[in-house]
Amino acid sequence: MVSATDVSDALALIVGELAANAVTHGPVPGRDFALPLTRLAAGVRVEVTDTRTEPPYPPAFGGVGTPGPLDECGRGLLLVEVLADRWEVMDREPPGKTVRAEVGVDRGCEGH
């Protein structure tokens, strides 16, 4: 059974990873990133939008590789892949991208 705490922890890790990626890999001078959270009927959606157009792309698109055992980075999107019920990367206009991840809140935690 998945508890509300498990969902909250998953969301915290996903938000932290996507925000860190936007700060580290997505900055363009004079532009920030956006991070809205949306309550859905069956979960929560996290969206992080920045002004870079480069990947990350979900594994379905061949973009997230497996880091080596001694690599210091490259595991964050693998965490998102494991923790999110679904995630995707969308191009946006003006140039940029949005990384969207959704976590189901109603995954067996009724009454908690």
Side-chain angles (χ1 to χ4, degrees), residues 10 13-15 17-18 21 56-67 74-89 99-103 107:
L13 285 168
I14 290 169
V15 166
E17 176 54 33
L18 296 182
N21 281 352
Y57 290 107
F61 297 100
V64 177
T66 303
R75 291 173 179 78
L77 290 176
L78 293 174
L79 286 172
V80 173
E81 173 72 17
V82 169
L83 295 171
D85 291 319
R86 66 183 150 274
W87 74 288
E88 63 184 330
V89 179
V99 182
R100 173 186 291 169
E102 295 180 1
V103 176
R107 300 188 279 172

Side-chain angles (χ1 to χ4, degrees), residues 35-58:
L35 194 156
L37 300 175
T38 305
R39 175 69 165 111
L40 306 172
V44 176
R45 176 182 297 145
V46 177
E47 293 179 306
V48 176
T49 300
D50 64 42
T51 53
R52 294 277 184 188
T53 57
E54 294 83 17
Y57 290 107

